[in-house]
Amino acid sequence: MRQPRTIHLYLSVGLFFISLCYANAQKTIAEALKKYNQESVPYIQIEALKDTDTTILLDARAKEEFDVSHLSGALWVGYEDFKIATVLKQVSDKTAPVVVYCSIGVRSEDIAEKLIAEGYTNVKNLYGGIFEWKNQGNPVYDTSNSSTEKVHAFSKQWGKLLTNADKVYKHP
């Protein structure tokens, strides 16, 4: 049987780590982007994106996230499964305006960096990603191109940043 002092020590250490995790959790998209991004790719704001109709949208989330919902006309390029050769086939004009997005804009920055390294010259990262897009009341679409209120929230922690959608954590 453990001594009460040892149990108290384990509980104290456990509570310390739990509080540390909550202290590091980002409360806003802006805080998360500031913490995790290097701003190596210029952002495009939601309103500016809505004013364009020739922009190529690339979704840098997992396929199951894309299947739940995505921006209209977006092409799935993935993150873990990303292959530059696929993008080269889909977007042969390296001067075309391209906007990459993910949940909030972290993974999309990584993919946008790869596009720029490959010679794409007009690449932007959607500020706040699909979360901010939906938080502002904009439409998203499922695989049958039907409007939906569902957005894959990635995880419970990141899902706290999605405030205006039906959150999905696993795709059936």
Side-chain angles (χ1 to χ4, degrees):
M1 181 170 190
R2 295 198 186 276
Q3 298 292 327
R5 175 178 261 165
T6 305
I7 293 171
H8 184 265
L9 176 65
Y10 285 134
L11 286 173
S12 296
V13 169
L15 288 174
F16 170 76
F17 281 111
I18 290 170
S19 66
L20 187 62
C21 289
Y22 280 105
N24 286 330
Q26 306 310 306
K27 293 179 178 70
T28 68
I29 289 173
E31 288 175 342
L33 291 176
K34 186 171 182 132
K35 179 175 182 176
Y36 294 108
N37 277 9
Q38 297 175 23
E39 296 185 18
S40 57
V41 177
Y43 287 116
I44 185 170
Q45 300 295 325
I46 302 290
E47 285 305 312
L49 178 60
K50 287 170 49 176
D51 289 340
T52 66
D53 58 352
T54 59
T55 300
I56 298 163
L57 297 172
L58 301 180
D59 190 311
R61 299 174 302 149
K63 185 74 164 95
E64 77 173 14
E65 294 173 85
F66 178 85
D67 288 347
V68 170
S69 65
H70 51 270
L71 277 59
S72 179
L75 303 171
W76 177 75
V77 296
Y79 183 73
E80 296 290 333
D81 301 326
F82 177 78
K83 291 179 180 55
I84 194 67
T86 302
V87 176
L88 288 166
K89 288 177 189 170
Q90 295 174 321
V91 186
S92 58
D93 180 1
K94 291 186 176 183
T95 64
V98 174
V99 171
V100 187
Y101 73 91
C102 62
S103 294
I104 66 163
V106 176
R107 292 176 285 176
S108 53
E109 182 180 70
D110 293 343
I111 298 303
E113 287 171 349
K114 292 177 182 184
L115 294 171
I116 292 167
E118 188 62 33
Y120 287 86
T121 59
N122 193 1
V123 180
K124 293 191 172 66
N125 186 7
L126 182 60
Y127 187 89
I130 196 170
F131 284 14
E132 186 61 21
W133 178 266
K134 192 65 181 132
N135 286 348
Q136 290 187 22
N138 296 301
V140 294
Y141 300 89
D142 61 21
T143 54
S144 65
N145 206 30
S146 297
S147 181
T148 182
E149 292 302 311
K150 295 179 181 178
V151 174
H152 197 292
F154 188 72
S155 71
K156 298 284 184 184
Q157 178 184 351
W158 291 109
K160 293 175 185 175
L161 301 175
L162 179 61
T163 59
N164 191 23
D166 296 334
K167 299 173 192 177
V168 174
Y169 293 99
K170 288 192 175 192
H171 188 58

